[in-house]
Amino acid sequence: MPGIDMDFLAEAASIESEIVRTRRAVHQRPELAYQEKETAELVAKSLESLGIKVKRGVGGTGVVGVLEGSRRGRVIGLRADMDALPVEEMADVEFRSKVKGVMHACGHDTHVAMLLGAARLLSNHKGDLQGTVKFIFQPAEEHGGRGGALPMIEDGAMKDPKVDFVFGLHIDSNRRSGEFGVREGAMMAAPDTFKVRIIGRGGHGSEPHRTVDPVYVAAQVILALQGVSSRMIDPMRPFVISIGAVHAGTKENIIPDEAILDGTIRTLDEATRKRAKAKVEEVAKGVCRAFGAAARVEFEKDAYPVTVNDIKATEGAITVLKKIPGMKVKKVEAVLGGEDFSRFLQKAPGTFYFLGTANPQKGCIYPNHSSKFKADEDVLKFGAASLAMLAYEFGKPRGPS
Ligand SMILES: [Zn+2]
Ligand SMILES: [Zn+2]
């Protein structure tokens, strides 16, 4: 249908002030993982006001809206995450967080607002919409481990009707406003968190020979673990290991009984992931044994999988995104952050893409998760239009045209 794509952006522009208002309302009332009650209610009520069928409490605080088009077609899932972060907001905006120590520092407030915007655009087009659109608002993306996507999926978010294609976007401070970032295949890492408990034998700091010093052993373990990346993993495959926390001891002249290391590894394919986890355990245990200590290594269960964008669906999405006037579509490198949108991509083909929000002229220069993070609100209409267009085009029985 000629001109239809132009219409979605023009329509998004016509509701821009509403999208911004929603975004600011959510921004001022940020809620941490699994506590997204007010946000979920705002989402549910907005969807209902558009005549969209709503299911509340999906997998905790999740909300699913179902919009049936007037004509037959495919089922498209669009997802936004709703949770905020434990950060005290220092951003230079008038609509700062009103909740102490909690902030939408990852921009999930913008995701909520853009998806609600897309819901309005699509419900306006119900008459010529083919297929069904499911609006999936998930809790607890920042939770890590189990996260919010898995409980929603277990609670049936991707079934009845079964989702054929799924799309999600993330606002990205590394990219200029006016750009979409896309990638076929692996786009984001599996973030595996682990804990190494080093069990020694404490004693007096003046008599180390009568102890098994877990602090010393911990230092050796930290150094040795970097050897996993440089000596044991194929250098052509991305792999990172970082120890972010070291806990041991109470006083300078006491050798403690134990030391604990907390770390994370990031990989972009399942084979490397499996090998890396095995090697981390082997090296940590081996080093401890060499110095007479014992080691217990535990990886967090249910860590997020690698986010893998379906190649064909991504090609189709690129065709759709390229039709949006005023936006560039750029291929991007994979990043080693994790995303539990990966869970939805295990259930249906689709793509996760980035929406640039860096704009130095407006002071939008701080990274996601920073206490000064500031999103460029001028990009929200493009994000809303893109989500609506993906659902509209992929909903057609033969996909985007
Ligand atoms: Zn985040
Ligand atoms: Zn995020």
Side-chain angles (χ1 to χ4, degrees):
M1 208 178 287
I4 194 80
D5 309 314
M6 281 294 284
D7 290 350
F8 272 116
L9 181 60
E11 287 172 38
S14 75
I15 59 163
E16 185 175 21
S17 58
E18 176 189 313
I19 298 172
V20 169
R21 206 163 46 239
T22 305
R23 185 261 160 154
R24 292 184 178 187
V26 176
H27 189 86
Q28 288 193 304
R29 307 289 311 159
E31 295 170 298
L32 293 172
Y34 289 122
Q35 296 169 25
E36 308 91 338
K37 292 205 174 71
E38 264 186 53
T39 312
E41 198 44 37
L42 179 147
V43 163
K45 284 207 174 113
S46 305
L47 293 173
E48 280 168 348
S49 77
L50 298 169
I52 292 172
K53 267 187 281 173
V54 170
K55 227 176 137 186
R56 290 168 164 84
V58 184
T61 44
V63 177
V64 176
V66 179
L67 174 68
E68 282 172 33
S70 306
R71 292 151 70 193
R72 282 164 62 95
R74 306 193 288 199
V75 180
I76 309 304
L78 299 176
R79 173 273 211 172
D81 39 13
M82 302 188 288
D83 56 324
L85 285 162
V87 172
E88 177 73 24
E89 177 154 22
M90 306 294 276
D92 172 27
V93 294
E94 309 138 26
F95 48 92
R96 270 197 198 167
S97 167
K98 291 190 169 154
V99 184
K100 197 161 172 40
V102 184
M103 174 192 177
H104 267 294
C106 201
H108 298 181
D109 52 338
T110 68
H111 302 168
V112 169
M114 287 187 280
L115 188 50
L116 285 175
R120 173 170 289 271
L121 301 182
L122 289 163
S123 64
N124 288 347
H125 281 276
K126 195 173 152 74
D128 50 71
L129 179 68
Q130 291 172 268
T132 298
V133 187
K134 280 181 120 171
F135 301 95
I136 302 168
F137 289 86
Q138 83 151 77
E141 195 288 321
E142 301 284 359
H143 191 262
R146 216 171 125 69
L150 196 56
M152 280 198 93
I153 292 167
E154 286 170 356
D155 214 355
M158 294 291 276
K159 292 191 292 200
D160 302 322
K162 186 184 168 299
V163 173
D164 295 313
F165 289 91
V166 67
F167 300 98
L169 62 72
H170 206 300
I171 199 139
D172 181 5
S173 56
N174 289 319
R175 198 157 303 292
R176 298 290 295 233
S177 294
E179 281 179 23
F180 288 118
V182 296
R183 182 178 176 84
E184 289 131 349
M187 191 195 212
M188 296 185 75
D192 285 293
T193 302
F194 64 92
K195 194 179 274 295
V196 182
R197 186 179 289 270
I198 298 161
I199 303 145
R201 199 176 59 241
H204 202 288
S206 64
E207 297 180 316
H209 58 290
R210 295 180 64 196
T211 73
V212 174
D213 181 355
V215 175
Y216 173 76
V217 179
Q220 297 291 343
V221 170
I222 293 167
L223 295 174
L225 282 178
Q226 288 305 328
V228 173
S229 62
S230 70
R231 304 293 88 180
M232 294 169 179
I233 299 293
D234 180 348
M236 301 310 283
R237 294 182 182 265
F239 171 67
V240 157
I241 179 164
S242 292
I243 302 291
V246 180
H247 304 281
T250 52
K251 194 175 180 298
E252 82 291 342
N253 63 353
I254 302 170
I255 291 172
D257 287 320
E258 272 189 11
I260 293 169
L261 308 177
D262 292 314
T264 183
I265 64 174
R266 305 292 167 114
T267 49
L268 277 179
D269 68 277
E270 287 301 325
T272 306
R273 181 185 193 186
K274 214 172 143 202
R275 180 173 167 81
K277 285 171 77 173
K279 288 293 163 195
V280 164
E281 178 155 4
E282 222 175 284
V283 167
K285 286 189 167 162
V287 170
C288 288
R289 201 176 314 118
F291 291 101
R296 250 184 273 146
V297 182
E298 268 171 47
F299 279 89
E300 180 160 25
K301 285 195 196 84
D302 294 320
Y304 297 173
V306 179
T307 302
V308 184
N309 287 333
D310 181 75
I311 291 176
K312 271 196 85 177
T314 306
E315 282 169 0
I318 291 171
T319 319
V320 173
L321 296 177
K322 278 191 172 160
K323 291 182 187 170
I324 301 180
M327 289 293 287
K328 288 195 188 108
V329 181
K330 292 212 172 158
K331 294 253 176 136
V332 299
E333 295 293 329
V335 293
L336 293 180
E339 215 341 301
D340 76 344
F341 186 73
S342 51
R343 306 264 196 216
F344 295 110
L345 286 171
Q346 288 183 326
K347 293 289 163 191
T351 208
F352 191 63
Y353 59 105
F354 296 133
L355 172 64
T357 182
N359 192 336
Q361 273 144 18
K362 295 182 197 159
C364 306
I365 50 170
Y366 299 98
N368 295 66
H369 287 211
S370 155
S371 62
K372 294 184 173 174
F373 174 70
K374 185 175 159 187
D376 179 1
E377 290 180 327
D378 289 345
V379 308
L380 302 184
K381 58 179 175 293
F382 294 103
S386 70
L387 289 164
M389 283 167 67
L390 287 170
Y392 190 89
E393 291 293 328
F394 275 82
K396 294 174 180 172
R398 276 193 233 140
S401 55

